[in-house]
Amino acid sequence: MNNLDHLDKLRELDPQGMLAVEESFYQQLQQGVEIAGQSDLSKISGKKYSGVVFTGMGGSGISGDIITALAADSSQAPMVSVKGYRLPRFITKDWLVVASSYSGNTEETLSCVQQAMDMGATMLFITSGGRLEQLAQNYDSVSAITVPAGLQPRGAFGYLFMPAYLALAQLGLLAVKQSHIEEGLEIVKQLSSQYNRKVETGKNFAKQVAVNIGDRLPLVYGQEGYLAPIAYRWKCEINENAKTPCFWAQFPELNHNETVGWERLDKLTKDFALIILSRPEGHPRIRARVEATKKLIDNNLGKVIEIPVKGQSSFAQAISTLYTGDIASVYLALYHGVDPTPVEKIEKLKAELAKLD
Ligand code: F6R
């Protein structure tokens, strides 16, 4: 029996309860919907925006990447996601600036917020507190959505993502169908009972993904559109929860470069596990590319793990595929006896940089 089917062992290895956070992902998404419904957007509604710019890093920034990708099919407004210190020059005060930081203290995000305040832009903050919450009290054109504190930012995805996504819909900047939200939540609900720790590895796909990765180096292939940020989220979750190197790329772009890179170092790449997020009804040319690529690199590859994307709507497909990766990365940590919660290196880096102030 591996660690994953040993309930006492799972508790012992996960003292801060990251697995429980993942097991209650459905409830967190639901609470995110409720938080959105209760939020006061009066200070930022009724305006005409030229576009929306998201600013946020890591577990808080991923929402902007996913919303931007989902919006490409459903919104007329330009949307960009910024991961750094500076807003692009084309952002003017007529853009809505959405700043997402769970701690409220991330310096890159605060730097973008400062630029937005200097130009007098309208803003939406999503945070559990910190400096961002304080700034909201001293600046007129901002609505702040405060979410429950006490989690790791990456474990608060439902709190950070749903209010941002639904607020943009309320502001008329995104078309969001209630039936799509219901579909996504229903699939996540079903998956969370299938992925629960009590379901043994033989019947638990999320545990199987972890076991199949095992000691191999995982590489995640997404595809153009919203499965690109989902592949990136898989990579980040494997890095932060399982403390394992992981890389990602997306179809079709990877066929124009990365595919060639599989020609050498086969002794090394035989220890890679390639995870492919595959959409059965996706673009037919992408499906053909996935199959052709597998054949081309097969000899140099240790293992292929295909993740069939579930659901009809983009929202349901994105959210349920993200969920499988989130919980599989926690199982990968626990499979290797690693505590999934702490991210000491991120904290050390933040502390080092704080010394420079
Ligand atoms: C840690 C995590 C990190 C943080 C990032 C930004 O769990 O996910 O990627 O999200 O360091 O910090 P916040 O989210 O507080 O702005």
Side-chain angles (χ1 to χ4, degrees):
M1 200 198 275
N2 69 54
N3 279 348
L4 303 183
D5 293 334
H6 197 307
L7 295 182
D8 291 338
K9 192 89 193 157
L10 289 180
R11 254 190 307 276
E12 184 191 312
L13 290 170
D14 182 21
Q16 295 175 71
M18 186 60 95
L19 183 55
V21 169
E22 292 303 340
E23 284 168 335
S24 58
F25 185 66
Y26 165 72
Q27 284 86 343
Q28 197 188 106
L29 288 173
Q30 264 190 328
Q31 283 173 39
V33 173
E34 282 160 27
I35 292 168
Q38 291 153 9
S39 54
D40 175 10
L41 301 178
S42 55
K43 286 197 191 162
I44 63 170
S45 47
K47 298 190 184 179
K48 184 138 181 46
Y49 296 107
S50 304
V52 181
V53 56
F54 294 88
T55 164
M57 305 301 295
S60 295
I62 190 72
S63 299
D65 296 344
I66 299 171
I67 295 173
T68 314
L70 287 172
D73 291 333
S74 64
S75 164
Q76 303 263 316
M79 291 200 189
V80 283
S81 177
V82 172
K83 302 290 194 63
Y85 289 91
R86 287 183 305 157
L87 295 177
R89 284 289 296 276
F90 60 80
I91 305 292
T92 60
K93 72 189 285 281
D94 307 323
W95 282 61
L96 174 67
V97 179
V98 182
S100 171
S101 170
Y102 189 66
S103 63
N105 293 325
T106 296
E107 63 175 40
E108 297 92 321
T109 313
L110 291 173
S111 161
C112 289
V113 164
Q114 186 60 54
Q115 287 164 57
M117 289 196 312
D118 290 346
M119 71 171 98
T122 302
M123 287 190 278
L124 171 65
F125 293 168
I126 324 271
T127 185
S128 71
R131 182 88 186 108
L132 211 51
E133 198 180 38
Q134 289 164 4
L135 286 173
Q137 280 151 24
N138 304 322
Y139 186 78
D140 272 347
S141 306
V142 63
S143 287
I145 300 181
T146 309
V147 302
L151 296 169
Q152 277 290 331
R154 64 187 185 283
F157 177 84
Y159 290 147
L160 296 166
F161 175 84
M162 290 312 302
Y165 188 56
L166 296 176
L168 292 184
Q170 281 181 52
L171 294 169
L173 293 161
L174 254 186
V176 173
K177 286 204 177 117
Q178 179 61 24
S179 59
H180 293 176
I181 302 286
E182 282 162 13
E183 185 202 13
L185 265 64
E186 184 53 36
I187 295 174
V188 167
K189 189 177 177 190
Q190 286 164 15
L191 290 178
S192 54
S193 53
Q194 293 165 20
Y195 296 163
N196 187 278
R197 71 184 77 197
K198 291 189 189 136
V199 181
E200 293 197 347
T201 306
K203 292 189 175 153
N204 187 325
F205 183 66
K207 289 186 182 178
Q208 287 166 12
V209 171
V211 172
N212 282 325
I213 295 173
D215 278 322
R216 298 184 182 91
L217 189 144
L219 183 59
V220 189
Y221 280 0
Q223 49 182 271
E224 64 172 1
Y226 49 88
L227 287 183
I230 300 302
Y232 177 62
R233 168 74 175 189
W234 269 68
K235 171 218 132 54
C236 296
E237 287 285 274
I238 290 173
N239 294 150
E240 290 179 73
N241 289 328
K243 282 69 175 169
T244 297
C246 182
F247 302 92
W248 79 289
Q250 60 176 295
F251 286 102
E253 173 64 13
L254 68 90
N255 282 152
H256 299 273
N257 33 65
E258 179 149 329
T259 311
V260 189
W262 286 87
E263 284 182 20
R264 285 190 58 251
L265 303 183
D266 58 323
K267 282 202 191 79
L268 201 66
T269 60
K270 284 256 168 18
D271 285 331
F272 284 16
L274 177 61
I275 299 165
I276 303 178
L277 312 183
S278 67
R279 245 162 97 196
E281 309 93 33
H283 193 302
R285 305 295 293 179
I286 302 250
R287 284 206 320 270
R289 281 175 183 277
V290 171
E291 291 315 312
T293 307
K294 278 194 296 192
K295 276 194 212 129
L296 277 172
I297 64 178
D298 197 38
N299 284 343
N300 291 26
L301 192 57
K303 183 114 200 152
V304 180
I305 305 169
E306 291 213 39
I307 310 296
V309 166
K310 296 187 186 305
Q312 296 302 315
S313 62
S314 317
F315 172 81
Q317 293 189 351
I319 213 80
S320 60
T321 311
L322 175 140
Y323 180 48
T324 301
D326 279 17
I327 194 161
S329 71
V330 174
Y331 281 131
L332 181 62
L334 299 170
Y335 181 70
H336 289 300
V338 169
D339 180 350
T341 303
V343 278
E344 280 166 22
K345 288 197 165 53
I346 295 181
E347 271 143 32
K348 273 194 188 141
L349 255 163
K350 288 184 179 177
E352 277 301 308
L353 281 151
K355 284 189 210 154
L356 304 175
D357 295 339

